[in-house]
Structures are given as structure tokens and as C-alpha cells.
Amino acid sequence: MYWLIETEEQIDYLISRQYREAFIEIIPFNNNIHPALNEVSLVYFKPFTETKGFMLCITHSECLGVSKTRVDDLLTHINTLWVRDKKAALFYFQIKCLLDSSIIIPPYIQEQTQAHNVLYQKYPNKKDINKIIPIVKHYEVCEKIYDTIRPSLDNELPPYFKFYNEYTTLAFFGIEKNGIHINNELFNQHFNPTNPIYSISDDKIYTNFNLFTTTKRPSNAFNGVNFAALNKESGARESFIAKNDRFVEIDISAYHPNLAAQLIDYDFGVDDVHQAFADMYGVNYKEAKELTFKQLYGGIFKQYEHLEFFKKIKKYIDNNWKKFNEDGYIEVPRSGYWFEKSKMDEMNPQKLFNYVLQNLETSTNVCILMELNKLLRGKNTKLVLYTYDSFLFDMDESENLTDDINKIFKNKKLQIKTSYGTTYNF
């Protein structure tokens, strides 16, 4: 059968083959445009039992094309369907059987052909540039991608694969698809996006979470805007505006001290953790916060080693380090993620502990995000931004969701504080 699929009959034939496992690479209209604003031009489809891949044509200047619905029909018949970036793929095909290869294979930037490079440089503002790049060139890139990652797909899946494939990707997809509204005039004063068409449409900008960092704590930057580090002093945050009644931001207080306490089974006995530390140290509240964070991230001070909390923390750090060196890995609670010695350079006991805290923070947030996404499904109120210990909602006050949202955090035994305003510059 010819490798280019552009008729209904060819799709029917592929369905009749009853493939069980395959890999897909989605070729959108433009590789640089956020998937929320993008469309599908082609889909590279490589069944594991075939010696060659097929290019499914939906819309391209060189072929007839079949409907996206028919391509979806084919893909939903596959039991195991690998893709390089499941979160991005969900914008195009919401298929349950998708498996994210980047969880087990470090993501990489695939080298493009000369045709790609020349045409992208010549037409930087063309939203459907991939429709004029020769299909054979797209096919060439996809074949190289498949040949590179295929050997790793036969390996036994790590125990943490399910958490990241089924929960983490869906949690952050749920935020990204909402976007966040902006005041275009103010936005242009404070930001210099690489190209507005890549992430902005109808006064809404879309974020993009990178889930494949060392600790699995996602970064969030796209098109020249770093959403994880928005300046609080310059007025830049005023560019982001509520579409509904107002923004409501929930911040988790003393997050890492609370998570550390969970790791060592320590109970502060009070709601205000920083006040508990202030009493332990015999200093004021502000000084206590600084002392606690310095010791959690940089190492325990000698004068506080006698405190029960830090005694248990030191024991936990030492035991973790011993296991890391003897077993070659440690497993983080909740996510089940493995920090493997063979894959990590210049590690030390304190750094390893910090990695554990960051991973536990993210996995806890994933559980929160999944509950929030479920609560807000079909609602006007949207979760529009997430940054480590803060969650920003575009709130429709008529829906009366405040108590339900707060309950999700309190059920995780987390202390929260709330800020609000019509812009993000609270």
C-alpha cells in the first residue's frame, strides 16, 4: 500500500488491519503556534508491525485529504498509541489510549530539513506554513523521529509512568486550554512576544507548561513570556485581566515545610506553621520564615539541630542519601518517580532532598488540579494560571464555587490565603 493516505477507502483499509500498537507524530499547520490555536495538516502513523509509516493527509497543498473525523476513527481503534507530547496531542485528538514517550525518553528538538528551515525563515507569519512544505520532507523528519525513539518503546514501563501519563498531562492540559485574557495595549507595553500569532488570539494568551524538567516541576514559558516569573513590581501583571467578575488567587502557605513534615511524619500541632517555627527559634514571624527556608534548601544550622523537626529532617536526608547510593535510586512519595543515580550529575544529600520536595510539591498539585478541573468542568469559572504554590481563577461569582474550591485545598491539609482583583496586579 502506498505511504500517502488521502482517501476514505485507504483509511478503511488501515482500520481493517486491526493494528494493536503504533506511533503517531502530528504535523500541525505551524510548529511554532500554540496547539490551542493550531490545526492539523498531516499525521504520521507508524504501526509497529509495518516496515514503513503512513502519512495521513487531512489538509495539504499536495494531496486530496480525508476528514479529521476519519483519522480519529482510525486512531481510536489502536490499543496503544505512542506520541512524543501527549499534552499537545490532546488539543487535536482526545484519545484515551495515548502514551507519552517523553516520560521515558528525554525530549529533544528534532532537526528539520533544509526545506523546513528555508520556508519558515521566508514566511515567519504564515500560520499554515506546513501545508506548503513538501509532504515527503515531513515524512523524512517523522521517519527519523520514529527510528530514534522506537528502541525505547519496548522497555518495561517505569512504575511512575501511569501517574505522569494519565494525571499530569491531563492536569496541565486542563489549564492550558483555558488561556488567560489580556489587555492588549498594556501587554504590548510590558512584553515582547516573539510573534503574537504564536500564542495570542481574541485578546487571550495561551500558556505552555514544560513537564519534562529534571525534578518534574514544570516551567511555564512560551513565545517570549515567562508566566512562572511575572514581574510583581513593574505593573506587567496588570496586563492580565479577568473575563468574568474578578481574578481570585489561592496561595498555599508554608508549602514546603508542610510537605517536609509529611515526609517525616511530623505534626506541628497548629495551623500556622511559621508561627510554630517562630516559637521554636524564639524570634519574630518574619525571621522565622527566613530561617526555615534557608535550612530546608541550604542545610540545617548547628544551633537548631536539637529541634525535633530538624532532627527528623536530618535523619530523612541521611537515609535517602544512603539508599540513593546503595540502590542507585530513590522513589518519591505520591508520584512514585525515581531519581536515578546513573542519570544525575553532581548530586549531594541536600540537593537530593530539595529535588524530592519539588517533585512532591508538583505531584500534590497535580492531584489538586485534577479535582479542580473536575469541579470546574462546564462552568464559566476557569483555572487560568498555576505557579508552584499559587492557583489563579477567573471567577464567575454567580456560580458560588469559593467554598468548594477551598475545600479541595483544605482536604489536603494545606493552609491557604486568598487575593483578588479585576487584574492580576493585586
Side-chain angles (χ1 to χ4, degrees):
M1 185 177 180
Y2 192 54
W3 62 272
L4 183 61
I5 307 300
E6 54 183 337
T7 68
E8 299 278 340
E9 290 75 20
Q10 289 172 317
I11 291 288
D12 289 334
Y13 174 77
L14 291 178
I15 293 175
S16 73
R17 298 284 294 169
Q18 296 184 334
Y19 297 117
R20 313 301 292 175
E21 192 169 16
F23 169 80
I24 60 169
E25 178 78 9
I26 298 169
I27 296 94
F29 279 12
N30 187 308
N31 295 341
N32 297 323
I33 292 178
H34 193 284
L37 304 175
N38 227 330
E39 295 183 60
V40 182
S41 173
L42 305 159
V43 177
Y44 172 80
F45 174 64
K46 178 65 169 67
F48 284 5
T49 54
E50 295 287 356
T51 57
K52 65 178 182 180
F54 301 96
M55 192 63 85
L56 314 178
C57 182
I58 295 174
T59 175
H60 192 279
S61 61
E62 295 180 345
C63 63
L64 297 174
V66 295
S67 71
K68 184 172 174 289
T69 301
R70 294 295 287 132
V71 172
D72 192 76
D73 289 341
L74 168 61
L75 300 183
T76 53
H77 277 79
I78 312 299
N79 288 351
T80 302
L81 194 60
W82 288 95
V83 64
R84 280 197 304 151
D85 186 343
K86 178 177 177 176
K87 178 167 61 64
L90 288 171
F91 281 94
Y92 308 116
F93 300 99
Q94 293 191 18
I95 301 172
K96 291 183 178 180
C97 64
L98 287 176
L99 299 181
D100 197 329
S101 68
S102 292
I103 297 171
I104 56 176
I105 306 166
Y108 63 97
I109 299 175
Q110 174 61 40
E111 183 178 349
Q112 302 294 308
T113 67
Q114 186 65 14
H116 285 81
N117 296 332
V118 169
L119 289 171
Y120 267 86
Q121 185 175 10
K122 187 175 182 179
Y123 303 107
N125 296 319
K126 187 169 177 55
K127 293 184 178 181
D128 59 353
I129 185 67
N130 282 339
K131 291 171 63 176
I132 64 171
I133 293 173
I135 295 178
V136 68
K137 293 300 179 182
H138 289 305
Y139 187 81
E140 179 182 329
V141 170
C142 293
E143 288 275 277
K144 287 181 180 178
I145 290 173
Y146 177 79
D147 289 343
T148 299
I149 72 171
R150 177 65 180 91
S152 300
L153 301 184
D154 284 332
N155 297 336
E156 182 179 356
L157 294 179
Y160 54 82
F161 185 86
K162 180 177 180 179
F163 183 87
Y164 288 97
N165 187 68
E166 296 186 14
Y167 304 126
T168 304
T169 52
L170 290 174
F172 290 101
F173 167 72
I175 305 174
E176 283 187 20
K177 66 183 179 62
N178 293 329
I180 181 169
H181 281 263
I182 58 173
N183 177 317
N184 268 301
E185 183 178 348
L186 287 176
F187 183 85
N188 290 330
Q189 289 177 19
H190 291 285
F191 298 96
N192 183 29
T194 307
N195 193 326
I197 68 168
Y198 291 169
S199 61
I200 300 173
S201 178
D202 296 329
D203 297 331
K204 184 187 287 189
I205 189 167
Y206 290 89
T207 64
N208 183 54
F209 291 93
N210 171 23
L211 307 181
F212 308 113
T213 62
T214 302
T215 65
K216 298 297 182 181
R217 190 191 205 197
S219 57
N220 186 10
F222 190 71
N223 194 23
V225 180
N226 186 351
F227 296 95
L230 296 173
N231 193 309
K232 295 183 178 181
E233 307 299 330
S234 67
R237 285 158 56 114
E238 200 166 342
S239 307
F240 302 94
I241 59 176
K243 179 185 179 183
N244 295 311
D245 297 308
R246 63 177 180 173
F247 279 145
V248 174
E249 183 179 58
I250 291 180
D251 286 306
I252 301 174
S253 302
Y255 204 177
H256 281 194
N258 269 305
L259 292 175
Q262 291 177 24
L263 289 172
I264 60 174
D265 194 26
Y266 181 86
D267 186 357
F268 288 101
V270 295
D271 290 335
D272 194 330
V273 170
H274 289 306
Q275 186 59 54
F277 277 115
D279 295 339
M280 291 182 207
Y281 303 140
V283 300
N284 65 41
Y285 196 90
K286 182 179 179 182
E287 288 178 284
K289 288 180 70 173
E290 293 176 358
L291 282 171
T292 301
F293 287 121
K294 283 179 179 178
Q295 293 179 89
L296 279 181
Y297 305 140
I300 300 166
F301 297 167
K302 192 170 184 62
Q303 62 265 43
Y304 299 120
E305 287 180 342
H306 67 283
L307 297 175
E308 183 184 0
F309 176 83
F310 288 116
K311 278 183 180 179
K312 289 190 170 185
I313 288 293
K314 186 177 186 308
K315 183 178 180 181
Y316 178 86
I317 291 174
D318 291 344
N319 288 342
N320 248 15
W321 183 244
K322 181 180 179 182
K323 178 175 173 56
F324 183 72
N325 285 289
E326 290 181 353
D327 298 346
Y329 76 98
I330 58 166
E331 181 177 324
V332 184
R334 189 164 285 125
S335 70
Y337 187 69
W338 288 7
F339 285 118
E340 299 177 62
K341 185 177 181 180
S342 61
K343 298 179 180 178
M344 310 186 79
D345 298 325
E346 300 181 1
M347 191 53 62
N348 61 58
Q350 186 64 44
K351 186 176 180 181
L352 183 62
F353 176 62
N354 293 342
Y355 277 23
V356 169
L357 278 182
Q358 289 187 27
N359 186 278
L360 182 58
E361 169 203 89
T362 301
S363 58
T364 302
N365 288 340
V366 165
C367 296
I368 292 170
L369 290 170
M370 292 295 285
E371 291 187 47
L372 289 172
N373 289 340
K374 182 178 179 180
L375 173 66
L376 300 179
R377 191 175 299 141
K379 302 289 196 303
N380 291 327
T381 296
K382 304 295 182 185
L383 177 60
V384 294
L385 193 61
Y386 151 89
T387 310
Y388 307 140
D389 61 355
S390 69
F391 300 72
L392 182 66
F393 300 85
D394 191 334
M395 191 76 74
D396 182 338
E397 300 288 358
S398 68
E399 294 178 328
N400 297 315
L401 292 169
T402 301
D403 289 344
D404 290 331
I405 291 172
N406 290 344
K407 186 178 179 181
I408 290 173
F409 291 89
K410 291 177 181 177
N411 285 344
K412 297 289 187 296
K413 298 181 180 180
L414 298 171
Q415 304 169 37
I416 60 174
K417 59 182 179 180
T418 304
S419 307
Y420 56 88
T422 55
T423 78
Y424 195 27
N425 193 30
F426 298 130

